[in-house]
Amino acid sequence: EDQVTQSPEALRLQEGESSSLNCSYTVSGLRGLFWYRQDPGKGPEFLFTLYSAGEEKEKERLKATLTKKESFLHITAPKPEDSATYLCALTFRAGTALIFGKGTTLSVSS
Amino acid sequence: ETGVTQTPRHLVMGMTNKKSLKCEQHLGHNAMYWYKQSAKKPLELMFVYSLEERVENNSVPSRFSPECPNSSHLFLHLHTLQPEDSALYLCASSQDSQGWDSPLHFGNGTRLTVT
């Protein structure tokens, strides 16, 4: 069973059409949840870290939220340049390596 | 130059070749990592070095051999690879590896094709 599940696997939006990406997890004792953005041919780029339920972080059109079972990455009025694969990763025990999800590939068309 | 730099960007090698991937970080971080990224699969951790000492090896086949001569440089030596080793190999660095609380900063990877 996957410990980190991202959905949907792929998402197509029109420019300006807001939506959310989901990252659900089954581990207990979450220490930190990370969101990364990965453009084709590039390495993942760090976006946010969330540490506790109820926490929110924002950057431009992106807002990340965290509950006890999942995290959402909300994209408000997306633009074509927001097209990328968004990766979720978490750590749940001191000294335990990051666990990554498979990612959501977002395509925004104008 | 800033960030994490990986060379080469692309590599094609036969199964009997020996090659090396290089990574350099200019962020003053203490920990460096090798990850493997394959299509439709989560990133797989291969090796972790903290202050130049290997602290984690996720049961990677011996045909992959890491080397960390100092806190800024990391190598991955490859020999006798298999076609299923074809993937994007990503190097990353972070301030601290022990608690996995610091975000990772990735290079742009080496796209490896084994023929």
Side-chain angles (χ1 to χ4, degrees):
Chain A
E1 179 186 338
D2 289 346
Q3 295 173 300
V4 182
T5 303
Q6 290 190 247
S7 62
E9 184 175 326
L11 180 63
R12 291 184 179 274
L13 299 174
Q14 291 290 317
E15 185 172 3
E17 180 186 1
S18 302
S19 187
S20 297
L21 313 183
N22 177 264
C23 172
S24 63
Y25 55 93
T26 57
V27 301
S28 58
L30 180 75
R31 288 177 60 88
L33 188 142
F34 301 81
W35 282 99
Y36 291 86
R37 169 192 170 127
Q38 186 173 20
D39 292 302
K42 293 194 172 184
E45 176 188 352
F46 169 70
L47 292 173
F48 305 109
T49 309
L50 302 166
Y51 293 105
S52 57
E55 190 174 0
E56 299 182 352
K57 294 273 181 74
E58 285 189 67
K59 180 179 180 179
E60 296 180 357
R61 295 176 292 282
L62 300 177
K63 183 168 85 171
T65 62
L66 181 64
T67 73
K68 289 187 177 180
K69 290 294 184 184
E70 57 193 349
S71 177
F72 291 94
L73 185 65
H74 306 279
I75 303 176
T76 302
K79 297 182 177 181
E81 53 262 42
D82 294 322
S83 298
T85 296
Y86 291 85
L87 301 174
C88 164
L90 60 86
T91 178
F92 63 99
R93 216 169 34 228
T96 303
L98 275 180
I99 303 172
F100 278 86
K102 295 179 181 179
T104 293
T105 299
L106 173 67
S107 299
V108 182
S109 55
S110 56
Chain B
E1 197 166 352
T2 60
V4 180
T5 305
Q6 290 188 243
T7 55
R9 290 298 314 276
H10 301 273
L11 178 63
V12 179
M13 58 186 290
M15 293 168 59
T16 58
N17 290 159
K18 290 184 180 181
K19 296 286 184 183
S20 296
L21 310 185
K22 178 182 175 181
C23 175
E24 184 174 2
Q25 61 100 356
H26 306 270
L27 300 169
H29 288 165
N30 295 322
M32 297 188 77
Y33 311 76
W34 280 116
Y35 277 89
K36 176 182 179 182
Q37 187 173 37
S38 305
K40 305 293 185 182
K41 296 176 72 174
L43 266 71
E44 302 173 51
L45 177 65
M46 300 177 72
F47 300 102
V48 180
Y49 277 84
S50 179
L51 297 173
E52 302 148 46
E53 288 191 17
R54 188 192 303 181
V55 297
E56 188 150 348
N57 172 356
N58 277 13
S59 302
V60 177
S62 60
R63 56 186 183 268
F64 296 92
S65 175
E67 178 189 1
C68 188
N70 56 61
S71 61
S72 298
H73 293 85
L74 185 64
F75 295 89
L76 187 62
H77 304 298
L78 316 171
H79 65 95
T80 323
L81 293 191
Q82 305 298 310
E84 59 264 30
D85 296 323
S86 298
L88 182 66
Y89 288 84
L90 291 163
C91 173
S93 69
S94 72
Q95 192 65 38
D96 170 42
S97 73
Q98 298 307 306
W100 287 90
D101 294 334
S102 304
L104 302 179
H105 295 260
F106 288 88
N108 285 328
T110 294
R111 173 65 64 184
L112 173 67
T113 303
V114 181
T115 61

